[in-house]
C-alpha cells in the first residue's frame, strides 16, 4: 500500500480519540452510523463519554462488538435531562430506524382477551383481540394465545352457560340453537331462562374471571343449600355440578394466588442463543406463558440483554401491552429504577420491578425459568435439524458455497380465477416469514401457470440489483421441466442465470416423498439424502399453503362483490331497490326487462342495460 493510500484510509476511519475528547459526560442517546449515513446501533448511557469510550478500549472487546466498531463512520449524540428520558428516546429511535445491531422484537400484535358485554339485556362473553375502544364492556386477560382464550371460553360454556353468540345471531333466533341442546347455553334468545337467573350466571362468570373462585364457590354452596331447603332439587343438582367443575379447575391450577397481577420473566442462554419466557398472572391466576428468542447482535452480559429486552417489550411495544402491577425478574439490573420509572410513565400506572421474591412469587419465577430452559432446548433442537437438512441439500446439489437463503415459488387459482403466486423464503434456521411475498397475477390467459410463474419471477427479481442482500443461493420452482425451462429463460433475461434453479415436480404416484427433482437438466435421487428431501417437502408445502391462502382471500373478496355493482348507472340506492323488490340477487337475475322497469328509479333503457349486463348479451 502506498503512503498516500494509507493516509486516505486513515482519514476515512472514525477518529474516536478526537471524538471522545469532545464527548459529553451527561446522560443521553448515541447513534452509531456507517459511511452511507445509515444507523448501525442506538444506545443510551448515564454518562455518554464513559459508555462510548468502552467501545474503543484496546482489549476485552468481543468479536461482534469489534465488527460493529469497524463499521462506524460517525456517532451522533443527543443529550437528555435524565437517564429516564434517554431510555424513552432510545426506544422511540429504535422503533423508527430499526438499526441492524439492536434487537427488534416484532411481537406488536395485541394479546387476546375475554370480553364480557355490559350494555346488552342478556350480556355475552366473547374472544377479543386487544382492548377495543369501541366496545363497552369488561376485558379479562391478557392470555398468551388464542388457544388459551378458547379453552377458557369452552369452560365458561360448560359451567355458567352464558351465551357467546353475536348480537345479530341472537336477535334473529326463533328456536334454541345447538348450544342449548348440548347444555352449553340457557337460550335467553327465546326466553327459556328468566333475566334474573341469567344475570346471576353473568355475575358468577365475572367473579370467576376476576380470580375470585374461592368466594364464588362459597356463594354457590349457600345457594345450593337454599335450593335444597326449598325442595328444588334439580336446581340444587345443577349448582352442585358447577361447584364440582370449579374445584376441578382449581386443582389443575399449578400456581395460584388470592390476588395480584404480575409478569414473571424467566431466562435461559445456551449455545449462543437466548430465551426469555414471560408468564402472565392476572387476578392470581396463571394464564400461560410466551417465549421470545431475540437475536442479540452484540455479546453483552445477561443483565444488559435482559434490560434491552424489557425496554423493547414494555416501552417500544407499549401500545400492544397489558401492564401488570409487578414485573418479577431472574436477576438484578443496574438500571432497574430507570426502567421502573419509564414503564410506569408509558403505562400510566405504578409498576414495580422486583427480583428478590419469596413464597408464591418465587414459585412463579422457578416456573418461568423452567419454561425458558425447555423452550430454548426445543428451539435449538429444531434449528440443529434444519441446519443439517440444509447442509444435506447443498451436498445433494453439489453446491460450492453453503446455502444461506433459498426461495420457492408456487401458483394457486381455481379454474383460472383469482390467480396468486407465492414466494416463501428459508434460511439455515427455517422459514423467514418476514420475507414472504405474494403476487396478484393479471393480464394472462386464465389457467396459464407458465405465464403466471413468468410474471411472478419478473416481479420478484427485476429490482434485485438494488437489494443484493436478498439474492437467494437457490430457487425452487414447484413444477416440472416446462416450468423450470421457462424460469431459466426469465433468469437469463434478468442476467441472473448464475442463481441455481431446482424443479420440484409431483411423481407418478403424486404421493409426498416421491417427488421428482430436476436440477441442471437431470433428475436427481434424494434417497441417500432423506434430510434434503424432507426439507424440500417442507419448503414446497409452505409455499403451497401460503399461495392457496392468498388465492382464497382474493377469490372470496371477489365473490362477495355483487354483480350489480359493476353495472353502469346502478349505484347503491338503485341496487338496494332492485334487491328489495325482487327479494335478492337471484330474483334480479331471473327478472325480464318488463319487470325491471317496475322498480322505482329504473327506466326502460336502464332496465335493458341491466338485463344485457347480467345475461352477457
Amino acid at each position: 500500500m502506498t503512503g498516500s493510500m494509507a493516509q486516505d484510509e486513515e482519514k476515512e476511519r472514525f477518529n474516536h480519540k478526537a471524538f471522545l475528547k469532545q464527548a459529553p459526560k451527561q446522560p443521553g442517546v448515541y447513534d452509531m452510523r456507517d459511511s452511507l449515513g445509515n444507523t448501525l446501533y442506538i444506545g443510551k448511557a448515564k454518562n455518554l463519554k464513559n459508555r462510548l469510550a468502552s467501545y474503543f478500549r484496546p482489549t476485552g472487546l468481543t468479536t461482534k462488538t469489534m465488527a460493529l466498531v469497524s463499521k462506524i463512520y460517525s456517532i451522533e449524540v443527543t443529550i437528555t435531562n435524565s437517564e429516564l428520558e434517554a431510555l424513552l428516546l432510545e426506544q422511540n429511535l429504535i422503533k423508527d430506524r430499526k438499526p441492524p445491531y439492536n434487537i427488534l422484537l416484532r411481537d406488536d400484535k395485541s394479546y387476546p382477551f375475554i370480553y364480557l358485554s355490559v350494555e346488552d339485556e342478556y350480556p355475552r362473553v366473547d374472544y377479543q383481540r386487544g382492548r377495543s375502544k369501541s366496545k363497552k364492556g369488561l376485558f379479562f386477560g391478557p392470555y398468551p394465545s388464542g388457544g388459551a382464550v378458547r379453552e377458557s371460553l369452552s369452560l365458561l360454556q360448560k359451567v355458567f352457560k352464558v351465551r357467546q353468540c353475536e348480537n345479530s345471531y341472537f336477535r334473529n333466533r326463533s328456536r334454541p340453537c345447538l348450544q342449548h341442546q348440548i347444555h352449553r347455553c340457557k337460550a335467553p334468545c327465546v326466553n327459556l331462562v328468566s333475566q334474573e337467573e341469567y344475570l346471576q350466571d353473568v355475575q358468577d362468570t365475572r367473579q370467576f374471571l376476576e380470580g375470585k373462585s374461592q368466594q364464588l364457590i362459597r356463594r354457590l354452596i349457600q345457594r345450593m343449600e337454599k335450593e335444597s331447603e326449598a325442595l328444588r332439587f334439580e336446581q340444587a343438582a345443577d349448582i352442585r355440578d358447577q361447584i364440582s367443575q370449579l374445584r376441578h379447575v382449581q386443582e389443575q391450577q399449578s400456581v395460584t394466588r388470592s390476588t395480584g397481577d404480575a409478569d414473571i420473566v424467566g431466562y435461559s442462554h445456551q449455545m449462543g442463543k437466548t430465551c426469555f419466557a414471560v408468564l402472565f398472572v392476572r387476578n392470581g391466576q396463571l394464564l400461560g406463558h410466551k417465549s421470545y428468542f431475540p437475536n442479540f447482535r452484540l455479546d453483552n452480559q445477561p443483565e444488559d440483554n435482559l434490560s434491552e429486552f424489557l425496554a423493547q417489550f414494555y416501552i417500544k411495544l407499549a401500545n400492544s401491552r397489558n401492564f401488570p402491577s409487578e414485573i418479577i425478574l431472574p436477576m438484578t439490573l443496574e438500571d432497574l429504577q430507570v426502567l421502573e420509572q419509564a414503564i410506569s410513565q408509558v403505562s400510566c400506572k405504578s409498576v414495580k420491578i422486583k427480583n428478590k421474591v419469596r413464597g408464591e412469587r418465587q414459585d412463579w419465577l422457578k416456573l418461568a425459568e423452567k419454561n425458558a430452559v425447555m423452550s430454548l432446548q426445543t428451539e435449538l433442537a429444531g434449528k440443529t435439524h434444519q441446519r443439517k437438512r440444509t447442509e444435506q441439500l447443498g451436498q445433494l446439489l453439489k453446491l460450492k458455497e453453503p446455502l444461506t437463503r433459498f426461495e420457492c415459488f408456487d401458483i394457486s387459482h381455481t379454474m383460472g380465477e383469482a390467480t396468486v403466486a407465492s414466494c416463501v423464503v428459508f434460511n439455515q434456521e427455517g422459514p423467514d416469514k418476514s420475507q414472504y411475498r405474494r403476487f396478484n397475477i393479471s393480464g394472462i390467459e386464465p389457467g396459464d401457470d407458465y405465464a403466471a410463474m413468468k410474471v411472478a419471477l419478473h416481479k420478484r427479481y427485476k429490482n434485485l440489483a438494488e437489494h443484493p442482500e436478498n439474492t437467494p443461493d437457490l430457487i425452487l420452482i414447484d413444477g416440472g421441466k416446462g416450468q423450470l425451462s421457462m424460469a431459466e429463460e426469465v433468469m437469463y433475461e434478468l442476467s441472473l442465470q448464475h442463481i441455481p434453479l431446482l424443479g420440484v415436480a409431483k411423481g407418478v404416484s403424486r404421493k409426498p416423498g416421491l417427488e421428482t427433482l430436476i436440477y441442471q437438466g437431470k433428475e436427481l435421487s434424494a434417497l441417500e439424502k432423506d434430510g434434503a428431501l424432507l426439507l424440500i417437502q417442507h419448503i414446497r408445502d409452505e409455499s403451497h399453503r401460503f399461495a392457496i391462502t392468498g388465492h382464497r382471500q382474493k377469490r372470496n373478496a371477489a365473490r362477495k362483490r355483487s354483480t350489480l355493482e359493476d353495472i353502469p348507472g346502478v349505484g347503491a340506492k338503485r341496487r338496494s331497490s332492485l334487491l328489495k323488490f325482487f327479494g335478492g340477487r337471484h330474483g334480479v337475475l331471473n327478472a325480464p326487462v318488463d319487470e325491471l322497469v317496475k322498480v322505482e328509479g329504473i327506466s326502460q333503457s336502464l332496465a335493458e342495460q341491466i338485463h344485457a349486463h347480467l345475461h352477457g348479451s
Side-chain angles (χ1 to χ4, degrees):
M1 182 181 291
T2 64
S4 60
M5 289 176 66
Q7 289 175 2
D8 290 341
E9 185 179 343
E10 189 65 33
K11 288 179 182 178
E12 289 179 2
R13 289 176 182 166
F14 178 63
N15 190 340
H16 66 274
K17 292 182 180 179
F19 172 79
L20 290 174
K21 285 182 181 179
Q22 305 297 325
K25 294 185 177 181
Q26 290 115 313
V29 173
Y30 55 91
D31 180 351
M32 296 176 169
R33 302 197 172 196
D34 62 16
S35 58
L36 299 177
N38 299 319
T39 296
L40 294 168
Y41 181 77
I42 291 174
K44 64 166 179 62
K46 189 176 182 179
N47 183 314
L48 283 167
K49 185 168 188 172
N50 291 349
R51 181 70 184 96
L52 289 167
S54 68
Y55 287 97
F56 301 99
R57 60 180 185 264
T59 60
L61 293 178
T62 65
T63 304
K64 291 182 180 179
T65 303
M66 287 191 290
L68 167 64
V69 172
S70 68
K71 297 178 182 178
I72 296 174
Y73 188 80
S74 64
I75 299 178
E76 296 183 5
V77 297
T78 303
I79 298 173
T80 58
N81 292 317
S82 65
E83 194 177 358
L84 171 61
E85 285 186 13
L87 173 60
L88 296 172
L89 176 59
E90 175 200 36
Q91 293 308 310
N92 285 333
L93 292 175
I94 290 173
K95 185 176 183 178
D96 180 56
R97 299 180 187 174
K98 300 178 176 60
Y101 279 85
N102 289 93
I103 66 164
L104 294 173
L105 291 183
R106 302 187 183 276
D107 184 68
D108 52 2
K109 293 192 303 180
S110 299
Y111 280 91
F113 290 78
I114 288 179
Y115 166 73
L116 175 62
S117 65
V118 293
E119 291 191 329
D120 297 322
E121 182 181 4
Y122 292 94
R124 67 188 181 94
V125 289
D126 195 11
Y127 176 104
Q128 176 68 42
R129 175 68 71 172
R131 291 178 179 268
S132 174
K133 295 180 180 179
S134 62
K135 283 189 174 182
K136 293 183 179 180
L138 302 173
F139 293 86
F140 301 93
Y143 288 77
S145 67
V149 173
R150 284 184 278 273
E151 186 178 341
S152 297
L153 287 173
S154 177
L155 172 68
L156 292 174
Q157 277 188 322
K158 294 175 184 176
V159 179
F160 302 111
K161 301 178 177 61
V162 172
R163 74 179 180 96
Q164 297 185 14
C165 57
E166 294 289 340
N167 286 338
S168 57
Y169 184 82
F170 174 79
R171 286 192 294 265
N172 290 292
R173 294 301 302 176
S174 58
R175 57 192 178 88
C177 67
L178 180 62
Q179 294 300 320
H180 174 72
Q181 295 176 32
I182 61 175
H183 308 293
R184 292 197 172 193
C185 180
K186 293 186 176 179
C189 52
V190 289
N191 300 316
L192 293 186
V193 60
S194 68
Q195 187 174 22
E196 181 183 2
E197 180 183 341
Y198 186 84
L199 292 179
Q200 182 63 64
D201 292 330
V202 171
Q203 182 61 31
D204 292 344
T205 299
R206 176 176 177 176
Q207 197 168 9
F208 173 76
L209 290 171
E210 289 174 346
K212 301 175 182 177
S213 300
Q214 207 58 44
Q215 298 97 308
L216 176 59
I217 289 175
R218 285 197 293 267
R219 284 181 51 211
L220 288 173
I221 291 173
Q222 293 173 359
R223 277 158 44 192
M224 180 179 67
E225 291 173 348
K226 287 182 180 179
E227 296 292 346
S228 296
E229 291 172 0
L231 304 180
R232 292 191 288 266
F233 299 116
E234 187 175 343
Q235 290 86 338
D238 289 339
I239 298 174
R240 178 202 61 201
D241 293 341
Q242 285 184 318
I243 295 170
S244 176
Q245 288 172 313
L246 289 174
R247 282 181 172 158
H248 180 62
V249 171
Q250 282 191 329
E251 290 170 2
Q252 288 183 323
Q253 278 279 1
S254 58
V255 182
T256 59
R257 193 181 179 199
S258 56
T259 58
D261 295 346
D263 285 355
I264 305 93
V265 183
Y267 168 82
S268 180
H269 182 85
Q270 302 175 47
M271 298 173 62
K273 293 287 184 181
T274 298
C275 174
F276 295 106
V278 184
L279 266 62
F280 302 95
V281 175
R282 295 296 183 269
N283 297 313
Q285 296 186 57
L286 177 60
L287 301 182
H289 89 284
K290 191 163 187 177
S291 296
Y292 301 85
F293 306 92
N295 182 20
F296 291 101
R297 299 294 301 274
L298 300 178
D299 291 320
N300 294 323
Q301 294 298 314
E303 294 83 359
D304 297 327
N305 289 342
L306 176 58
S307 179
E308 189 173 353
F309 169 78
L310 293 173
Q312 292 217 13
F313 191 76
Y314 290 108
I315 300 173
K316 175 174 170 282
L317 303 178
N319 291 335
S320 63
R321 195 68 58 228
N322 178 266
F323 291 88
S325 55
E326 277 185 334
I327 300 171
I328 300 172
L329 305 181
M331 62 191 79
T332 188
L333 302 177
E334 184 179 342
D335 59 349
L336 189 144
Q337 289 186 339
V338 176
L339 270 170
E340 190 175 80
Q341 293 173 18
I343 294 171
S344 296
Q345 183 170 319
V346 298
S347 66
C348 301
K349 63 185 287 187
S350 177
V351 179
K352 299 296 182 183
I353 303 179
K354 302 176 181 178
N355 72 290
K356 295 180 180 179
V357 291
R358 299 177 182 177
E360 292 165 327
R361 290 182 297 173
Q362 179 65 30
D363 293 335
W364 287 341
L365 188 56
K366 288 179 180 178
L367 187 61
E369 291 178 334
K370 284 181 182 178
N371 277 280
V373 171
M374 181 192 68
S375 297
L376 186 55
Q377 288 175 346
T378 303
E379 179 80 1
L380 289 172
K383 292 185 183 301
T384 300
H385 285 301
Q386 178 70 22
R387 289 193 186 97
K388 288 181 179 178
R389 290 176 178 179
T390 303
E391 290 173 4
Q392 289 176 343
L393 178 58
Q395 292 167 9
L396 175 68
L397 303 180
K398 298 179 180 178
L399 299 176
K400 295 180 180 179
E401 299 294 330
L403 285 169
T404 58
R405 179 188 177 103
F406 32 104
E407 305 183 351
C408 182
F409 289 82
D410 190 19
I411 306 295
S412 182
H413 59 80
T414 301
M415 303 295 290
E417 178 190 2
T419 303
V420 170
S422 73
C423 174
V424 299
V425 181
F426 276 61
N427 56 36
Q428 291 178 323
E429 295 186 345
D432 186 355
K433 295 190 177 182
S434 65
Q435 297 289 315
Y436 283 17
R437 295 293 182 270
R438 287 195 188 103
F439 306 100
N440 291 323
I441 308 298
S442 58
I444 64 170
E445 191 71 25
D448 189 345
D449 287 355
Y450 287 13
M453 184 67 75
K454 186 174 183 178
V455 172
L457 290 170
H458 267 287
K459 285 186 175 184
R460 179 63 171 171
Y461 297 121
K462 64 182 179 181
N463 297 320
L464 188 61
E466 299 175 11
H467 302 281
E469 68 278 7
N470 293 334
T471 303
D473 303 308
L474 176 69
I475 298 173
L476 287 78
I477 303 296
D478 188 7
K481 291 182 179 179
Q483 290 273 36
L484 194 60
S485 297
M486 184 277 309
E488 288 172 348
E489 292 176 10
V490 173
M491 301 308 285
Y492 185 82
E493 291 172 10
L494 298 174
S495 299
L496 298 173
Q497 62 269 27
H498 59 282
I499 302 177
L501 298 174
L502 174 64
V504 185
K506 295 182 177 68
V508 178
S509 65
R510 305 181 71 85
K511 292 182 179 179
L514 298 176
E515 290 86 353
T516 300
L517 306 181
I518 307 168
Y519 183 66
Q520 295 181 344
K522 299 178 182 178
E523 292 188 8
L524 299 179
S525 173
L527 295 178
E528 297 179 1
K529 302 291 183 183
D530 289 339
L533 189 57
L534 288 172
L535 175 59
I536 291 171
Q537 291 170 13
H538 183 191
I539 298 169
R540 186 175 163 216
D541 289 346
E542 181 67 358
S543 177
H544 185 64
R545 178 201 64 79
F546 192 57
I548 202 167
T549 301
H551 159 64
R552 285 172 177 168
Q553 291 172 350
K554 183 180 178 182
R555 183 190 62 192
N556 292 341
R559 290 181 176 178
K560 284 179 182 177
R561 179 179 174 85
S562 171
T563 52
L564 301 178
E565 294 182 36
D566 298 323
I567 304 175
V570 178
K573 187 174 181 181
R574 283 174 175 163
R575 186 164 60 248
S576 177
S577 298
L578 284 165
L579 293 171
K580 288 179 181 177
F581 188 89
F582 293 105
R585 177 175 168 274
H586 186 71
V588 179
L589 287 171
N590 293 327
V593 174
D594 56 353
E595 287 295 315
L596 290 171
V597 296
K598 295 179 181 179
V599 180
E600 183 180 359
I602 305 296
S603 63
Q604 179 70 30
S605 60
L606 183 55
E608 293 173 356
Q609 186 175 337
I610 293 171
H611 189 272
H613 182 91
L614 294 177
H615 296 86
S617 57

